[in-house]
Amino acid sequence: METPRSPVPYVCVWFSDGVCLWPTEGSEETTLNYFHHGLKDLATVFFYMLVAIIMHAIIQEYVLDKINRKMHFSKTKHSKFNESGQLSIFYLFSCVWGASILTSENLLSNPVSLWEGYPHTLMPFQMKFFYISQLGYWLHALPELYFQKTKKEDVPRQLVYISLYLVHIAGAYILNLNRLGLVLLVLHYFVELLFHVSRLVYFSNENRQSGFTVWAILYVLGRLLTLSLSVLTVGFGLAGAEQQGLDLAAGNFNVLFVRVTVLAAICATQAFMMWKFINFQLRRWREHAQQQAQKKKPVSVKSKRTPPCKFILNTVHYCRCFRIVLSQALPFRQSCFFFLLNSSLVLLYLCKCFIGCFKKVLLRSPEHARKFLPF
């Protein structure tokens, strides 16, 4: 952080990293402390990165590991549960903190303040501390990939979203778009908080999936609102501002090239996120359709009974053999009597078999009936 080079009325240097605005005559006795960015912020970000590593380890050991031991998750669910648990706490804390800053600075009630008075080089303490903490947290996620023994196939995905967070937060901080960046961060964090909370609930009970539906709707609305605010602030608000031109000393980056670059980066990021979201939803729908198809598919049970055609041939053959034996051993009349008796019993048994076969055929599909019937 650097001090102002030119003297300003009623402004004095405070601890070499901010300015103190004293009240004028006739006004209430209030003192406002404001800060701006500088090279000394790198040391502060590094310090809070170490703090984030310590806090990460404390939450992991005393909260998440105890829950994992009770739930007995698999290795895949174990890593996802740890990721969602850490990010849920961070997103919840950042949403509450960011919303309090938006309320205190009246940014929600007065949207024009997002671009009015640009460049916004001076920031209140809470806003500056918020940006420093955000940069420190996402920088700490890089060494955590090693500490948490992340799988090799998950490392590229996490590196992509960590890099996107760092680039956008640092860009808003350096280009003095801190007000717009704060609004977009709170909006994005709220949607991501809902997703990770829904995933934690899903891990506890796989039947509870309604949270993902709400998240999907808010995710699309969040992308549209992010694009709308960005175009309104950068494309229209800054384009019509009085202070135009590039002035590094004053922190003014309000030129056409910078505005186009900022809008292109935001639009490309939102398009990339929507593409990943659509692929994720299509994969879920495909898996759900396969599960439903497997449930509706009839289970084919192999019958151990002899097929009807083969059973008839065997019966006829046995009857002929039985008649030959009786004709040789008994008189002709007795052999005919026994033959008729056995034949009637065989016919009754055949009728019973055919009735059972037709019942099965009627209850199943025609394709199965063609395979089952001998004709």
Side-chain angles (χ1 to χ4, degrees):
M1 301 171 234
E2 299 181 5
T3 58
R5 297 182 180 179
S6 60
V8 182
Y10 306 104
V11 174
C12 67
V13 179
W14 188 63
F15 291 115
S16 301
D17 59 0
V19 294
C20 178
L21 302 182
W22 297 98
T24 57
E25 296 181 358
S27 61
E28 297 181 359
E29 295 183 358
T30 56
T31 303
L32 302 177
N33 298 320
Y34 288 90
F35 301 83
H36 51 86
H37 60 78
L39 293 177
K40 296 180 182 179
D41 290 342
L42 296 176
T44 310
V45 169
F46 179 76
F47 171 77
Y48 283 104
M49 181 189 73
L50 300 179
V51 173
I53 292 175
I54 297 172
M55 295 300 298
H56 188 110
I58 292 174
I59 295 173
Q60 183 67 40
E61 182 175 357
Y62 293 99
V63 179
L64 299 179
D65 286 346
K66 292 184 178 180
I67 298 176
N68 281 321
R69 295 190 195 100
K70 293 181 180 179
M71 301 299 295
H72 302 288
F73 291 128
S74 61
K75 291 184 178 180
T76 304
K77 286 187 176 181
H78 179 80
S79 60
K80 291 183 179 180
F81 179 82
N82 290 336
E83 180 186 3
S84 295
Q86 294 283 353
L87 291 176
S88 296
I89 296 174
F90 169 72
Y91 287 145
L92 177 61
F93 179 75
S94 299
C95 280
V96 174
W97 190 6
S100 66
I101 297 174
L102 293 176
T103 305
S104 61
E105 296 297 321
N106 296 323
L107 297 179
L108 296 178
S109 59
N110 186 21
V112 182
S113 60
L114 294 177
W115 64 84
E116 191 177 25
Y118 181 84
H120 307 135
T121 55
L122 299 180
M123 295 174 287
F125 172 76
Q126 291 292 333
M127 185 178 291
K128 181 176 178 63
F129 190 29
F130 179 83
Y131 274 96
I132 294 293
S133 302
Q134 295 298 312
L135 292 173
Y137 180 86
W138 290 113
L139 280 175
H140 110 280
L142 296 175
E144 284 295 338
L145 296 177
Y146 173 76
F147 296 149
Q148 296 293 324
K149 299 179 180 180
T150 307
K151 296 180 180 179
K152 291 183 179 180
E153 56 270 18
D154 293 338
V155 171
R157 175 184 63 86
Q158 297 196 14
L159 286 177
V160 168
Y161 80 76
I162 290 172
S163 302
L164 288 176
Y165 275 116
L166 289 174
V167 169
H168 285 77
I169 295 174
Y173 186 66
I174 295 172
L175 298 177
N176 295 315
L177 294 171
N178 41 64
R179 298 180 182 179
L180 175 63
L182 180 62
V183 174
L184 297 184
L185 274 179
V186 172
L187 176 63
H188 177 73
Y189 283 171
F190 176 75
V191 178
E192 292 298 309
L193 172 64
L194 182 60
F195 169 75
H196 288 286
V197 170
S198 301
R199 191 156 75 165
L200 291 176
V201 174
Y202 172 76
F203 287 154
S204 63
N205 187 355
E206 295 185 355
N207 295 325
R208 298 178 181 178
Q209 301 184 17
S210 58
F212 290 109
T213 305
V214 180
W215 164 76
I217 297 173
L218 293 181
Y219 188 89
V220 177
L221 294 178
R223 305 285 72 78
L224 295 176
L225 189 56
T226 298
L227 289 174
S228 302
L229 288 175
S230 302
V231 173
L232 179 63
T233 303
V234 181
F236 294 97
L238 295 182
E242 297 179 358
Q243 296 186 8
Q244 299 285 338
L246 182 63
D247 189 357
L248 299 179
N252 188 6
F253 300 91
N254 192 7
V255 292
L256 179 62
F257 176 75
V258 176
R259 293 198 301 267
V260 172
T261 304
V262 170
L263 283 178
I266 295 175
C267 293
T269 303
Q270 301 306 310
F272 172 74
M273 295 174 66
M274 281 301 301
W275 177 68
K276 299 288 287 184
F277 172 77
I278 292 172
N279 287 337
F280 173 75
Q281 292 296 331
L282 289 177
R283 186 171 64 253
R284 283 191 62 207
W285 291 338
R286 195 180 301 115
E287 293 175 355
H288 181 70
Q290 291 177 356
Q291 293 177 359
Q292 294 297 325
Q294 291 178 358
K295 291 180 180 179
K296 293 181 180 179
K297 185 177 180 181
V299 181
S300 59
V301 180
K302 295 183 178 180
S303 178
K304 296 183 180 180
R305 296 182 179 179
T306 309
C309 56
K310 189 175 180 180
F311 183 81
I312 294 171
L313 295 176
N314 292 336
T315 306
V316 173
H317 177 71
Y318 293 150
C319 289
R320 287 176 180 175
C321 295
F322 186 71
R323 181 180 178 181
I324 293 172
V325 171
L326 288 178
S327 63
Q328 295 177 0
L330 298 173
F332 179 74
R333 294 181 179 179
Q334 293 180 359
S335 61
C336 291
F337 174 77
F338 282 108
F339 175 75
L340 293 174
L341 179 62
N342 285 281
S343 298
S344 61
L345 294 175
V346 169
L347 289 174
L348 290 174
Y349 183 74
L350 285 174
C351 293
K352 179 182 178 182
C353 291
F354 275 111
I355 292 172
C357 292
F358 281 116
K359 284 183 179 179
K360 292 181 179 179
V361 170
L362 292 175
L363 293 175
R364 296 189 179 183
S365 60
E367 290 79 5
H368 185 78
R370 298 191 192 100
K371 296 178 182 179
F372 189 84
L373 292 176
F375 44 84

